[in-house]
C-alpha cells in the first residue's frame, strides 16, 4: 500500500496515523500487552508497569492505515 499520494493516477491517498485500538479488536492483545514493557527503554520494572498501564487504559497502540479514494460522479 503506498504511503501518501500515489502520484500516478491521482485518485488515491493513504493516511497513516498513530492510534489506540480496543483490546477486543486486536488478535492476541493479552500476549501483546504482556510484551509491551519489553520495547520500552531501560527503566525500572515499576516505572515500566506504570507507563504500560496508562497506555493500555487508552487501548493498545496501533498504526491506523486508511485509504481514501475519490470516484467521479456523473449526473444524468
Amino acid at each position: 500500500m503506498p504511503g501518501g499520494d500515489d502520484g500516478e493516477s491521482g485518485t488515491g491517498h493513504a493516511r497513516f496515523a498513530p492510534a489506540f485500538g480496543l483490546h477486543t479488536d486486536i488478535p492476541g492483545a493479552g500476549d501483546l500487552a504482556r510484551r509491551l514493557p519489553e520495547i520500552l527503554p531501560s527503566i525500572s520494572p515499576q516505572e515500566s508497569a506504570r507507563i504500560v498501564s496508562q497506555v493500555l487504559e487508552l487501548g493498545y497502540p496501533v498504526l491506523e492505515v486508511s485509504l481514501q479514494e475519490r470516484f467521479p460522479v456523473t449526473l444524468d
Side-chain angles (χ1 to χ4, degrees):
M1 184 174 290
D5 220 354
D6 65 17
E8 292 177 20
S9 66
T11 60
H13 181 77
R15 185 177 68 90
F16 302 88
F20 292 97
L22 296 175
H23 299 281
T24 56
D25 293 345
I26 300 170
D31 185 47
L32 290 171
R34 281 188 295 281
R35 293 176 40 214
L36 192 56
E38 297 172 10
I39 66 171
L40 294 173
S42 298
I43 57 177
S44 72
Q46 296 83 12
E47 187 69 12
S48 174
R50 184 184 67 76
I51 291 170
V52 167
S53 71
Q54 289 177 341
V55 167
L56 291 177
E57 283 180 22
L58 300 170
Y60 194 84
V62 297
L63 179 63
E64 185 176 277
V65 180
S66 64
L67 183 62
Q68 179 180 352
E69 293 284 339
R70 290 187 176 177
F71 298 95
V73 176
T74 303
L75 302 176
D76 285 333

